[in-house]
Amino acid sequence: MRIAIYPGSFDPLTNGHVDIALRAKTLFDKIIILVADNGAKKGNYLFSTQERVDMAKKVFSKYEGFEVESFSGMVVKYAHDRDIKAIIRGLRAVTDYEMEYQLHEINHYLQPEVEMVYLMANKEEAFISSSAVKEIYSLHGDISPMVPEEVLDAMKKKLG
Ligand code: ADP
């Protein structure tokens, strides 16, 4: 079975993330959505790890072949320990490229047998980011075209 990991903060999950995950699923039998529970952003998350996991579980339970887990540690180590060979990332503007390139080099150095697989953002979702969603919501803008309805509900519950 071909399995890939799609790691991220997903704080919160957006339609951009969902699009990447569904397109990745056309290439693999199973996608593990791996919700980050550590890293530089820890403490800056709006949603707790459990909340981010719950949101992703609700959204992806509608589709076949997805699992949602959280992790604290290195994604390549997680992949290596489970004999998973592919890590999915999404690319929006060139600004994503620089960070992803660095991440690729580090991951490749640590675990050369694990391949990073990059999918380009769809035009419709390329402008969506978790931080934009949070900012627009805090300014009372309409985020409903940008996130799944389960995420909109969670945002309302969290921020009113
Ligand atoms: P991280 O903190 O690991 O960057 P994110 O949740 O911000 O986690 O993003 C996870 C992955 O999804 C990254 O590869 C990011 O570039 C990608 N991504 C985020 N938003 C979009 C989008 N709108 N379209 C395509 N890919 C996206």
Side-chain angles (χ1 to χ4, degrees), residues 87-124:
I87 296 175
I88 309 288
R89 297 288 286 175
L91 287 178
R92 288 161 295 183
V94 281
T95 41
D96 272 346
Y97 178 85
E98 221 167 303
M99 212 203 74
E100 295 295 339
Y101 181 72
Q102 193 183 20
L103 196 62
H104 174 273
E105 291 306 295
I106 294 167
N107 286 344
H108 194 72
Y109 163 75
L110 293 169
Q111 223 67 70
E113 87 284 2
V114 178
E115 278 297 344
M116 305 293 292
V117 177
Y118 298 94
L119 298 182
M120 296 297 290
N122 262 340
K123 263 206 309 291
E124 294 74 22

PDB file of all heavy atoms in Angstrom, residues 87-124:
ATOM      1  N   ILE A  87       6.421  12.384   1.706  1.00  0.00           N
ATOM      2  CA  ILE A  87       5.866  13.482   2.503  1.00  0.00           C
ATOM      3  C   ILE A  87       5.331  14.532   1.526  1.00  0.00           C
ATOM      4  O   ILE A  87       6.059  14.998   0.652  1.00  0.00           O
ATOM      5  CB  ILE A  87       6.937  14.112   3.417  1.00  0.00           C
ATOM      6  CG1 ILE A  87       7.419  13.073   4.441  1.00  0.00           C
ATOM      7  CG2 ILE A  87       6.391  15.362   4.112  1.00  0.00           C
ATOM      8  CD1 ILE A  87       8.569  13.552   5.312  1.00  0.00           C
ATOM      9  N   ILE A  88       4.061  14.860   1.685  1.00  0.00           N
ATOM     10  CA  ILE A  88       3.401  15.829   0.797  1.00  0.00           C
ATOM     11  C   ILE A  88       3.545  17.238   1.364  1.00  0.00           C
ATOM     12  O   ILE A  88       3.391  17.444   2.564  1.00  0.00           O
ATOM     13  CB  ILE A  88       1.875  15.537   0.704  1.00  0.00           C
ATOM     14  CG1 ILE A  88       1.595  14.074   0.360  1.00  0.00           C
ATOM     15  CG2 ILE A  88       1.173  16.516  -0.237  1.00  0.00           C
ATOM     16  CD1 ILE A  88       1.916  13.689  -1.029  1.00  0.00           C
ATOM     17  N   ARG A  89       3.820  18.203   0.498  1.00  0.00           N
ATOM     18  CA  ARG A  89       3.760  19.615   0.884  1.00  0.00           C
ATOM     19  C   ARG A  89       3.076  20.375  -0.241  1.00  0.00           C
ATOM     20  O   ARG A  89       3.123  19.961  -1.407  1.00  0.00           O
ATOM     21  CB  ARG A  89       5.160  20.197   1.128  1.00  0.00           C
ATOM     22  CG  ARG A  89       5.912  19.556   2.274  1.00  0.00           C
ATOM     23  CD  ARG A  89       5.387  19.899   3.639  1.00  0.00           C
ATOM     24  NE  ARG A  89       5.724  21.259   4.031  1.00  0.00           N
ATOM     25  CZ  ARG A  89       5.278  21.818   5.160  1.00  0.00           C
ATOM     26  NH1 ARG A  89       4.466  21.157   5.975  1.00  0.00           N
ATOM     27  NH2 ARG A  89       5.625  23.056   5.467  1.00  0.00           N
ATOM     28  N   GLY A  90       2.453  21.482   0.117  1.00  0.00           N
ATOM     29  CA  GLY A  90       1.795  22.321  -0.889  1.00  0.00           C
ATOM     30  C   GLY A  90       2.625  23.555  -1.145  1.00  0.00           C
ATOM     31  O   GLY A  90       3.268  24.078  -0.227  1.00  0.00           O
ATOM     32  N   LEU A  91       2.619  24.026  -2.384  1.00  0.00           N
ATOM     33  CA  LEU A  91       3.374  25.234  -2.729  1.00  0.00           C
ATOM     34  C   LEU A  91       2.444  26.296  -3.281  1.00  0.00           C
ATOM     35  O   LEU A  91       1.720  26.046  -4.243  1.00  0.00           O
ATOM     36  CB  LEU A  91       4.441  24.928  -3.791  1.00  0.00           C
ATOM     37  CG  LEU A  91       5.669  24.143  -3.367  1.00  0.00           C
ATOM     38  CD1 LEU A  91       6.568  23.908  -4.575  1.00  0.00           C
ATOM     39  CD2 LEU A  91       6.444  24.885  -2.279  1.00  0.00           C
ATOM     40  N   ARG A  92       2.474  27.448  -2.655  1.00  0.00           N
ATOM     41  CA  ARG A  92       1.708  28.588  -3.173  1.00  0.00           C
ATOM     42  C   ARG A  92       2.675  29.510  -3.908  1.00  0.00           C
ATOM     43  O   ARG A  92       3.280  29.120  -4.872  1.00  0.00           O
ATOM     44  CB  ARG A  92       0.993  29.304  -2.022  1.00  0.00           C
ATOM     45  CG  ARG A  92      -0.178  28.512  -1.463  1.00  0.00           C
ATOM     46  CD  ARG A  92      -0.572  28.972  -0.092  1.00  0.00           C
ATOM     47  NE  ARG A  92       0.511  28.695   0.855  1.00  0.00           N
ATOM     48  CZ  ARG A  92       0.465  28.932   2.165  1.00  0.00           C
ATOM     49  NH1 ARG A  92      -0.594  29.487   2.680  1.00  0.00           N
ATOM     50  NH2 ARG A  92       1.481  28.627   2.943  1.00  0.00           N
ATOM     51  N   ALA A  93       2.831  30.707  -3.419  1.00  0.00           N
ATOM     52  CA  ALA A  93       3.697  31.666  -4.112  1.00  0.00           C
ATOM     53  C   ALA A  93       5.165  31.277  -3.934  1.00  0.00           C
ATOM     54  O   ALA A  93       5.490  30.346  -3.198  1.00  0.00           O
ATOM     55  CB  ALA A  93       3.452  33.051  -3.525  1.00  0.00           C
ATOM     56  N   VAL A  94       6.049  32.012  -4.591  1.00  0.00           N
ATOM     57  CA  VAL A  94       7.490  31.747  -4.469  1.00  0.00           C
ATOM     58  C   VAL A  94       7.959  31.828  -3.022  1.00  0.00           C
ATOM     59  O   VAL A  94       8.958  31.220  -2.650  1.00  0.00           O
ATOM     60  CB  VAL A  94       8.343  32.703  -5.334  1.00  0.00           C
ATOM     61  CG1 VAL A  94       8.333  32.278  -6.768  1.00  0.00           C
ATOM     62  CG2 VAL A  94       7.906  34.141  -5.181  1.00  0.00           C
ATOM     63  N   THR A  95       7.223  32.569  -2.203  1.00  0.00           N
ATOM     64  CA  THR A  95       7.613  32.701  -0.792  1.00  0.00           C
ATOM     65  C   THR A  95       7.601  31.344  -0.087  1.00  0.00           C
ATOM     66  O   THR A  95       8.392  31.106   0.813  1.00  0.00           O
ATOM     67  CB  THR A  95       6.679  33.679  -0.058  1.00  0.00           C
ATOM     68  OG1 THR A  95       5.350  33.434  -0.491  1.00  0.00           O
ATOM     69  CG2 THR A  95       7.049  35.106  -0.346  1.00  0.00           C
ATOM     70  N   ASP A  96       6.683  30.449  -0.474  1.00  0.00           N
ATOM     71  CA  ASP A  96       6.675  29.093   0.097  1.00  0.00           C
ATOM     72  C   ASP A  96       7.928  28.331  -0.328  1.00  0.00           C
ATOM     73  O   ASP A  96       8.456  27.523   0.416  1.00  0.00           O
ATOM     74  CB  ASP A  96       5.470  28.281  -0.415  1.00  0.00           C
ATOM     75  CG  ASP A  96       4.225  28.470   0.436  1.00  0.00           C
ATOM     76  OD1 ASP A  96       4.347  28.999   1.554  1.00  0.00           O
ATOM     77  OD2 ASP A  96       3.135  28.081  -0.024  1.00  0.00           O
ATOM     78  N   TYR A  97       8.379  28.609  -1.554  1.00  0.00           N
ATOM     79  CA  TYR A  97       9.452  27.817  -2.148  1.00  0.00           C
ATOM     80  C   TYR A  97      10.719  27.843  -1.298  1.00  0.00           C
ATOM     81  O   TYR A  97      11.326  26.805  -1.044  1.00  0.00           O
ATOM     82  CB  TYR A  97       9.760  28.315  -3.570  1.00  0.00           C
ATOM     83  CG  TYR A  97      10.893  27.560  -4.213  1.00  0.00           C
ATOM     84  CD1 TYR A  97      10.673  26.360  -4.878  1.00  0.00           C
ATOM     85  CD2 TYR A  97      12.203  28.039  -4.122  1.00  0.00           C
ATOM     86  CE1 TYR A  97      11.720  25.655  -5.440  1.00  0.00           C
ATOM     87  CE2 TYR A  97      13.257  27.337  -4.683  1.00  0.00           C
ATOM     88  CZ  TYR A  97      13.016  26.149  -5.345  1.00  0.00           C
ATOM     89  OH  TYR A  97      14.051  25.457  -5.882  1.00  0.00           O
ATOM     90  N   GLU A  98      11.079  29.025  -0.859  1.00  0.00           N
ATOM     91  CA  GLU A  98      12.329  29.181  -0.124  1.00  0.00           C
ATOM     92  C   GLU A  98      12.341  28.329   1.151  1.00  0.00           C
ATOM     93  O   GLU A  98      13.298  27.622   1.441  1.00  0.00           O
ATOM     94  CB  GLU A  98      12.523  30.647   0.238  1.00  0.00           C
ATOM     95  CG  GLU A  98      13.940  31.109   0.056  1.00  0.00           C
ATOM     96  CD  GLU A  98      14.044  32.605   0.121  1.00  0.00           C
ATOM     97  OE1 GLU A  98      13.368  33.283  -0.682  1.00  0.00           O
ATOM     98  OE2 GLU A  98      14.780  33.090   0.981  1.00  0.00           O
ATOM     99  N   MET A  99      11.215  28.408   1.880  1.00  0.00           N
ATOM    100  CA  MET A  99      11.130  27.646   3.123  1.00  0.00           C
ATOM    101  C   MET A  99      11.086  26.143   2.847  1.00  0.00           C
ATOM    102  O   MET A  99      11.727  25.346   3.513  1.00  0.00           O
ATOM    103  CB  MET A  99       9.879  28.065   3.890  1.00  0.00           C
ATOM    104  CG  MET A  99      10.079  27.970   5.367  1.00  0.00           C
ATOM    105  SD  MET A  99       8.527  27.807   6.219  1.00  0.00           S
ATOM    106  CE  MET A  99       8.037  26.161   5.885  1.00  0.00           C
ATOM    107  N   GLU A 100      10.326  25.783   1.815  1.00  0.00           N
ATOM    108  CA  GLU A 100      10.183  24.363   1.486  1.00  0.00           C
ATOM    109  C   GLU A 100      11.497  23.782   0.968  1.00  0.00           C
ATOM    110  O   GLU A 100      11.815  22.623   1.201  1.00  0.00           O
ATOM    111  CB  GLU A 100       9.059  24.146   0.463  1.00  0.00           C
ATOM    112  CG  GLU A 100       7.665  24.497   0.973  1.00  0.00           C
ATOM    113  CD  GLU A 100       7.175  23.606   2.125  1.00  0.00           C
ATOM    114  OE1 GLU A 100       7.696  22.481   2.287  1.00  0.00           O
ATOM    115  OE2 GLU A 100       6.288  24.045   2.860  1.00  0.00           O
ATOM    116  N   TYR A 101      12.254  24.620   0.255  1.00  0.00           N
ATOM    117  CA  TYR A 101      13.536  24.157  -0.259  1.00  0.00           C
ATOM    118  C   TYR A 101      14.479  23.825   0.891  1.00  0.00           C
ATOM    119  O   TYR A 101      15.134  22.767   0.912  1.00  0.00           O
ATOM    120  CB  TYR A 101      14.162  25.225  -1.167  1.00  0.00           C
ATOM    121  CG  TYR A 101      15.491  24.794  -1.744  1.00  0.00           C
ATOM    122  CD1 TYR A 101      15.534  23.824  -2.739  1.00  0.00           C
ATOM    123  CD2 TYR A 101      16.686  25.328  -1.272  1.00  0.00           C
ATOM    124  CE1 TYR A 101      16.752  23.397  -3.250  1.00  0.00           C
ATOM    125  CE2 TYR A 101      17.898  24.910  -1.788  1.00  0.00           C
ATOM    126  CZ  TYR A 101      17.927  23.951  -2.778  1.00  0.00           C
ATOM    127  OH  TYR A 101      19.127  23.531  -3.269  1.00  0.00           O
ATOM    128  N   GLN A 102      14.492  24.698   1.885  1.00  0.00           N
ATOM    129  CA  GLN A 102      15.343  24.479   3.057  1.00  0.00           C
ATOM    130  C   GLN A 102      14.906  23.219   3.811  1.00  0.00           C
ATOM    131  O   GLN A 102      15.736  22.389   4.197  1.00  0.00           O
ATOM    132  CB  GLN A 102      15.257  25.696   3.967  1.00  0.00           C
ATOM    133  CG  GLN A 102      16.318  25.688   5.027  1.00  0.00           C
ATOM    134  CD  GLN A 102      16.174  26.876   5.971  1.00  0.00           C
ATOM    135  OE1 GLN A 102      15.115  27.481   6.070  1.00  0.00           O
ATOM    136  NE2 GLN A 102      17.239  27.197   6.657  1.00  0.00           N
ATOM    137  N   LEU A 103      13.591  23.090   3.959  1.00  0.00           N
ATOM    138  CA  LEU A 103      13.037  21.924   4.645  1.00  0.00           C
ATOM    139  C   LEU A 103      13.403  20.638   3.891  1.00  0.00           C
ATOM    140  O   LEU A 103      13.742  19.616   4.482  1.00  0.00           O
ATOM    141  CB  LEU A 103      11.508  22.087   4.698  1.00  0.00           C
ATOM    142  CG  LEU A 103      10.723  21.227   5.661  1.00  0.00           C
ATOM    143  CD1 LEU A 103      11.122  21.516   7.091  1.00  0.00           C
ATOM    144  CD2 LEU A 103       9.216  21.498   5.482  1.00  0.00           C
ATOM    145  N   HIS A 104      13.341  20.726   2.559  1.00  0.00           N
ATOM    146  CA  HIS A 104      13.700  19.573   1.732  1.00  0.00           C
ATOM    147  C   HIS A 104      15.140  19.157   1.975  1.00  0.00           C
ATOM    148  O   HIS A 104      15.447  17.969   2.139  1.00  0.00           O
ATOM    149  CB  HIS A 104      13.494  19.901   0.252  1.00  0.00           C
ATOM    150  CG  HIS A 104      13.989  18.809  -0.653  1.00  0.00           C
ATOM    151  ND1 HIS A 104      15.300  18.743  -1.080  1.00  0.00           N
ATOM    152  CD2 HIS A 104      13.371  17.721  -1.152  1.00  0.00           C
ATOM    153  CE1 HIS A 104      15.452  17.657  -1.828  1.00  0.00           C
ATOM    154  NE2 HIS A 104      14.295  17.024  -1.881  1.00  0.00           N
ATOM    155  N   GLU A 105      16.034  20.154   2.004  1.00  0.00           N
ATOM    156  CA  GLU A 105      17.459  19.849   2.171  1.00  0.00           C
ATOM    157  C   GLU A 105      17.711  19.198   3.531  1.00  0.00           C
ATOM    158  O   GLU A 105      18.460  18.227   3.632  1.00  0.00           O
ATOM    159  CB  GLU A 105      18.300  21.133   2.026  1.00  0.00           C
ATOM    160  CG  GLU A 105      18.301  21.680   0.613  1.00  0.00           C
ATOM    161  CD  GLU A 105      18.720  20.635  -0.412  1.00  0.00           C
ATOM    162  OE1 GLU A 105      19.882  20.184  -0.385  1.00  0.00           O
ATOM    163  OE2 GLU A 105      17.873  20.263  -1.252  1.00  0.00           O
ATOM    164  N   ILE A 106      17.067  19.725   4.562  1.00  0.00           N
ATOM    165  CA  ILE A 106      17.249  19.177   5.914  1.00  0.00           C
ATOM    166  C   ILE A 106      16.711  17.740   5.959  1.00  0.00           C
ATOM    167  O   ILE A 106      17.387  16.817   6.421  1.00  0.00           O
ATOM    168  CB  ILE A 106      16.519  20.055   6.962  1.00  0.00           C
ATOM    169  CG1 ILE A 106      17.186  21.427   7.041  1.00  0.00           C
ATOM    170  CG2 ILE A 106      16.509  19.375   8.329  1.00  0.00           C
ATOM    171  CD1 ILE A 106      16.383  22.470   7.798  1.00  0.00           C
ATOM    172  N   ASN A 107      15.491  17.563   5.446  1.00  0.00           N
ATOM    173  CA  ASN A 107      14.878  16.232   5.480  1.00  0.00           C
ATOM    174  C   ASN A 107      15.680  15.220   4.672  1.00  0.00           C
ATOM    175  O   ASN A 107      15.851  14.069   5.071  1.00  0.00           O
ATOM    176  CB  ASN A 107      13.440  16.294   4.947  1.00  0.00           C
ATOM    177  CG  ASN A 107      12.507  16.938   5.951  1.00  0.00           C
ATOM    178  OD1 ASN A 107      12.844  17.078   7.126  1.00  0.00           O
ATOM    179  ND2 ASN A 107      11.339  17.342   5.509  1.00  0.00           N
ATOM    180  N   HIS A 108      16.184  15.683   3.517  1.00  0.00           N
ATOM    181  CA  HIS A 108      16.936  14.786   2.650  1.00  0.00           C
ATOM    182  C   HIS A 108      18.257  14.379   3.302  1.00  0.00           C
ATOM    183  O   HIS A 108      18.707  13.245   3.175  1.00  0.00           O
ATOM    184  CB  HIS A 108      17.173  15.450   1.298  1.00  0.00           C
ATOM    185  CG  HIS A 108      17.643  14.489   0.259  1.00  0.00           C
ATOM    186  ND1 HIS A 108      16.827  13.534  -0.299  1.00  0.00           N
ATOM    187  CD2 HIS A 108      18.861  14.308  -0.292  1.00  0.00           C
ATOM    188  CE1 HIS A 108      17.530  12.807  -1.149  1.00  0.00           C
ATOM    189  NE2 HIS A 108      18.767  13.258  -1.159  1.00  0.00           N
ATOM    190  N   TYR A 109      18.843  15.320   4.015  1.00  0.00           N
ATOM    191  CA  TYR A 109      20.077  15.045   4.741  1.00  0.00           C
ATOM    192  C   TYR A 109      19.824  14.029   5.855  1.00  0.00           C
ATOM    193  O   TYR A 109      20.600  13.086   6.051  1.00  0.00           O
ATOM    194  CB  TYR A 109      20.629  16.360   5.301  1.00  0.00           C
ATOM    195  CG  TYR A 109      21.653  16.202   6.398  1.00  0.00           C
ATOM    196  CD1 TYR A 109      22.955  15.807   6.108  1.00  0.00           C
ATOM    197  CD2 TYR A 109      21.314  16.468   7.727  1.00  0.00           C
ATOM    198  CE1 TYR A 109      23.894  15.662   7.120  1.00  0.00           C
ATOM    199  CE2 TYR A 109      22.245  16.319   8.734  1.00  0.00           C
ATOM    200  CZ  TYR A 109      23.528  15.912   8.433  1.00  0.00           C
ATOM    201  OH  TYR A 109      24.433  15.772   9.435  1.00  0.00           O
ATOM    202  N   LEU A 110      18.701  14.211   6.569  1.00  0.00           N
ATOM    203  CA  LEU A 110      18.402  13.341   7.705  1.00  0.00           C
ATOM    204  C   LEU A 110      17.947  11.953   7.267  1.00  0.00           C
ATOM    205  O   LEU A 110      18.298  10.944   7.884  1.00  0.00           O
ATOM    206  CB  LEU A 110      17.298  13.976   8.575  1.00  0.00           C
ATOM    207  CG  LEU A 110      17.671  15.262   9.314  1.00  0.00           C
ATOM    208  CD1 LEU A 110      16.433  15.905   9.907  1.00  0.00           C
ATOM    209  CD2 LEU A 110      18.692  14.973  10.411  1.00  0.00           C
ATOM    210  N   GLN A 111      17.111  11.917   6.235  1.00  0.00           N
ATOM    211  CA  GLN A 111      16.485  10.646   5.837  1.00  0.00           C
ATOM    212  C   GLN A 111      16.370  10.604   4.308  1.00  0.00           C
ATOM    213  O   GLN A 111      15.303  10.853   3.762  1.00  0.00           O
ATOM    214  CB  GLN A 111      15.081  10.583   6.483  1.00  0.00           C
ATOM    215  CG  GLN A 111      14.694   9.261   7.078  1.00  0.00           C
ATOM    216  CD  GLN A 111      15.505   8.873   8.292  1.00  0.00           C
ATOM    217  OE1 GLN A 111      15.376   9.464   9.338  1.00  0.00           O
ATOM    218  NE2 GLN A 111      16.326   7.853   8.158  1.00  0.00           N
ATOM    219  N   PRO A 112      17.483  10.304   3.621  1.00  0.00           N
ATOM    220  CA  PRO A 112      17.494  10.437   2.156  1.00  0.00           C
ATOM    221  C   PRO A 112      16.497   9.541   1.431  1.00  0.00           C
ATOM    222  O   PRO A 112      16.139   9.830   0.292  1.00  0.00           O
ATOM    223  CB  PRO A 112      18.939  10.074   1.770  1.00  0.00           C
ATOM    224  CG  PRO A 112      19.585   9.539   2.976  1.00  0.00           C
ATOM    225  CD  PRO A 112      18.787   9.938   4.171  1.00  0.00           C
ATOM    226  N   GLU A 113      16.038   8.468   2.065  1.00  0.00           N
ATOM    227  CA  GLU A 113      15.120   7.570   1.344  1.00  0.00           C
ATOM    228  C   GLU A 113      13.673   8.067   1.367  1.00  0.00           C
ATOM    229  O   GLU A 113      12.828   7.544   0.644  1.00  0.00           O
ATOM    230  CB  GLU A 113      15.208   6.140   1.913  1.00  0.00           C
ATOM    231  CG  GLU A 113      14.308   5.834   3.095  1.00  0.00           C
ATOM    232  CD  GLU A 113      14.800   6.435   4.424  1.00  0.00           C
ATOM    233  OE1 GLU A 113      15.826   7.134   4.435  1.00  0.00           O
ATOM    234  OE2 GLU A 113      14.124   6.206   5.446  1.00  0.00           O
ATOM    235  N   VAL A 114      13.408   9.102   2.177  1.00  0.00           N
ATOM    236  CA  VAL A 114      12.046   9.657   2.229  1.00  0.00           C
ATOM    237  C   VAL A 114      11.956  10.808   1.221  1.00  0.00           C
ATOM    238  O   VAL A 114      12.730  11.751   1.287  1.00  0.00           O
ATOM    239  CB  VAL A 114      11.689  10.160   3.646  1.00  0.00           C
ATOM    240  CG1 VAL A 114      10.288  10.771   3.666  1.00  0.00           C
ATOM    241  CG2 VAL A 114      11.796   9.022   4.662  1.00  0.00           C
ATOM    242  N   GLU A 115      11.032  10.711   0.267  1.00  0.00           N
ATOM    243  CA  GLU A 115      10.895  11.751  -0.762  1.00  0.00           C
ATOM    244  C   GLU A 115       9.865  12.789  -0.362  1.00  0.00           C
ATOM    245  O   GLU A 115       8.793  12.456   0.146  1.00  0.00           O
ATOM    246  CB  GLU A 115      10.445  11.137  -2.106  1.00  0.00           C
ATOM    247  CG  GLU A 115      11.542  10.535  -2.930  1.00  0.00           C
ATOM    248  CD  GLU A 115      12.617  11.522  -3.389  1.00  0.00           C
ATOM    249  OE1 GLU A 115      12.407  12.740  -3.337  1.00  0.00           O
ATOM    250  OE2 GLU A 115      13.696  11.042  -3.796  1.00  0.00           O
ATOM    251  N   MET A 116      10.190  14.054  -0.638  1.00  0.00           N
ATOM    252  CA  MET A 116       9.214  15.127  -0.473  1.00  0.00           C
ATOM    253  C   MET A 116       8.463  15.235  -1.803  1.00  0.00           C
ATOM    254  O   MET A 116       9.071  15.232  -2.867  1.00  0.00           O
ATOM    255  CB  MET A 116       9.918  16.453  -0.191  1.00  0.00           C
ATOM    256  CG  MET A 116      10.865  16.442   0.999  1.00  0.00           C
ATOM    257  SD  MET A 116      10.045  16.237   2.583  1.00  0.00           S
ATOM    258  CE  MET A 116       9.138  17.784   2.725  1.00  0.00           C
ATOM    259  N   VAL A 117       7.153  15.325  -1.741  1.00  0.00           N
ATOM    260  CA  VAL A 117       6.326  15.439  -2.956  1.00  0.00           C
ATOM    261  C   VAL A 117       5.578  16.771  -2.883  1.00  0.00           C
ATOM    262  O   VAL A 117       4.842  17.015  -1.926  1.00  0.00           O
ATOM    263  CB  VAL A 117       5.325  14.262  -3.050  1.00  0.00           C
ATOM    264  CG1 VAL A 117       4.425  14.413  -4.271  1.00  0.00           C
ATOM    265  CG2 VAL A 117       6.058  12.929  -3.066  1.00  0.00           C
ATOM    266  N   TYR A 118       5.805  17.642  -3.881  1.00  0.00           N
ATOM    267  CA  TYR A 118       5.219  18.986  -3.847  1.00  0.00           C
ATOM    268  C   TYR A 118       4.077  19.106  -4.836  1.00  0.00           C
ATOM    269  O   TYR A 118       4.231  18.776  -6.011  1.00  0.00           O
ATOM    270  CB  TYR A 118       6.290  20.032  -4.170  1.00  0.00           C
ATOM    271  CG  TYR A 118       7.400  20.015  -3.138  1.00  0.00           C
ATOM    272  CD1 TYR A 118       8.566  19.269  -3.338  1.00  0.00           C
ATOM    273  CD2 TYR A 118       7.243  20.684  -1.933  1.00  0.00           C
ATOM    274  CE1 TYR A 118       9.553  19.213  -2.372  1.00  0.00           C
ATOM    275  CE2 TYR A 118       8.235  20.634  -0.958  1.00  0.00           C
ATOM    276  CZ  TYR A 118       9.381  19.895  -1.185  1.00  0.00           C
ATOM    277  OH  TYR A 118      10.347  19.834  -0.219  1.00  0.00           O
ATOM    278  N   LEU A 119       2.954  19.587  -4.347  1.00  0.00           N
ATOM    279  CA  LEU A 119       1.821  19.848  -5.225  1.00  0.00           C
ATOM    280  C   LEU A 119       1.573  21.356  -5.256  1.00  0.00           C
ATOM    281  O   LEU A 119       1.586  22.006  -4.209  1.00  0.00           O
ATOM    282  CB  LEU A 119       0.566  19.124  -4.720  1.00  0.00           C
ATOM    283  CG  LEU A 119       0.628  17.595  -4.659  1.00  0.00           C
ATOM    284  CD1 LEU A 119      -0.702  17.027  -4.196  1.00  0.00           C
ATOM    285  CD2 LEU A 119       0.996  17.001  -6.011  1.00  0.00           C
ATOM    286  N   MET A 120       1.387  21.887  -6.459  1.00  0.00           N
ATOM    287  CA  MET A 120       1.136  23.328  -6.590  1.00  0.00           C
ATOM    288  C   MET A 120      -0.289  23.638  -6.168  1.00  0.00           C
ATOM    289  O   MET A 120      -1.220  22.904  -6.501  1.00  0.00           O
ATOM    290  CB  MET A 120       1.320  23.771  -8.047  1.00  0.00           C
ATOM    291  CG  MET A 120       2.732  23.624  -8.586  1.00  0.00           C
ATOM    292  SD  MET A 120       3.927  24.647  -7.720  1.00  0.00           S
ATOM    293  CE  MET A 120       3.433  26.266  -8.268  1.00  0.00           C
ATOM    294  N   ALA A 121      -0.453  24.751  -5.456  1.00  0.00           N
ATOM    295  CA  ALA A 121      -1.789  25.188  -5.037  1.00  0.00           C
ATOM    296  C   ALA A 121      -2.654  25.459  -6.267  1.00  0.00           C
ATOM    297  O   ALA A 121      -2.165  25.950  -7.284  1.00  0.00           O
ATOM    298  CB  ALA A 121      -1.673  26.462  -4.217  1.00  0.00           C
ATOM    299  N   ASN A 122      -3.918  25.116  -6.162  1.00  0.00           N
ATOM    300  CA  ASN A 122      -4.879  25.499  -7.193  1.00  0.00           C
ATOM    301  C   ASN A 122      -5.037  27.014  -7.193  1.00  0.00           C
ATOM    302  O   ASN A 122      -4.954  27.633  -6.132  1.00  0.00           O
ATOM    303  CB  ASN A 122      -6.251  24.887  -6.869  1.00  0.00           C
ATOM    304  CG  ASN A 122      -6.489  23.619  -7.640  1.00  0.00           C
ATOM    305  OD1 ASN A 122      -5.857  23.365  -8.666  1.00  0.00           O
ATOM    306  ND2 ASN A 122      -7.405  22.813  -7.146  1.00  0.00           N
ATOM    307  N   LYS A 123      -5.291  27.574  -8.377  1.00  0.00           N
ATOM    308  CA  LYS A 123      -5.482  29.035  -8.489  1.00  0.00           C
ATOM    309  C   LYS A 123      -6.482  29.550  -7.458  1.00  0.00           C
ATOM    310  O   LYS A 123      -6.269  30.546  -6.802  1.00  0.00           O
ATOM    311  CB  LYS A 123      -6.025  29.362  -9.879  1.00  0.00           C
ATOM    312  CG  LYS A 123      -4.990  29.788 -10.875  1.00  0.00           C
ATOM    313  CD  LYS A 123      -5.549  30.678 -11.982  1.00  0.00           C
ATOM    314  CE  LYS A 123      -6.787  30.148 -12.677  1.00  0.00           C
ATOM    315  NZ  LYS A 123      -6.582  28.967 -13.519  1.00  0.00           N
ATOM    316  N   GLU A 124      -7.586  28.804  -7.322  1.00  0.00           N
ATOM    317  CA  GLU A 124      -8.690  29.256  -6.456  1.00  0.00           C
ATOM    318  C   GLU A 124      -8.281  29.320  -4.980  1.00  0.00           C
ATOM    319  O   GLU A 124      -8.843  30.082  -4.211  1.00  0.00           O
ATOM    320  CB  GLU A 124      -9.910  28.327  -6.578  1.00  0.00           C
ATOM    321  CG  GLU A 124     -10.591  28.335  -7.935  1.00  0.00           C
ATOM    322  CD  GLU A 124      -9.799  27.591  -9.006  1.00  0.00           C
ATOM    323  OE1 GLU A 124      -8.961  26.735  -8.651  1.00  0.00           O
ATOM    324  OE2 GLU A 124     -10.015  27.885 -10.194  1.00  0.00           O
TER     325      GLU A 124
END
